[in-house]
Amino acid sequence: MHLQKRTYSIDQTTLRAFERSVASGNRSVVITGLLRKYLADDERESIRKALISGAKEMNELYLEEAEAWNPLEEELYGETTT
């Protein structure tokens, strides 16, 4: 894994707690893992929202289609029951 150094600002309380709980040799690995998890969760949420949006759109199309065929179904149903 090729590492690149970056500069970011972190509030002191969070930074101190992080440095107390993670050994200095493991910090980059822990941060990389946390960033990967964050990005995967963000991508999963984006996909979830797109699926919900698509499902709502498809529901509208299915309703339109059902309404278009309803008169023919009513006519056929009426003929087969009499």
Side-chain angles (χ1 to χ4, degrees):
M1 169 170 55
H2 178 67
L3 300 177
Q4 291 189 351
K5 196 169 191 113
R6 294 286 189 253
T7 303
Y8 300 100
S9 298
I10 302 171
D11 70 87
Q12 283 186 345
T13 305
T14 303
L15 182 60
R16 285 185 185 139
F18 177 73
E19 289 176 343
R20 274 193 309 271
S21 66
V22 180
S24 63
N26 295 331
R27 291 177 187 152
S28 292
V29 173
V30 170
I31 289 172
T32 298
L34 291 169
L35 285 171
R36 284 184 178 154
K37 183 184 179 331
Y38 172 81
L39 293 171
D41 290 349
D42 189 55
E43 178 67 16
R44 194 171 10 265
E45 180 63 17
S46 177
I47 291 169
R48 187 184 76 78
K49 286 179 180 179
L51 285 171
I52 290 170
S53 174
K56 288 178 181 177
E57 198 172 305
M58 290 305 298
N59 186 49
E60 292 172 11
L61 291 173
Y62 288 147
L63 285 174
E64 288 175 16
E65 192 69 20
E67 289 171 358
W69 284 95
N70 189 42
L72 294 172
E73 290 174 351
E74 291 289 327
E75 182 179 328
L76 178 64
Y77 180 74
E79 287 179 11
T80 58
T81 59
T82 56

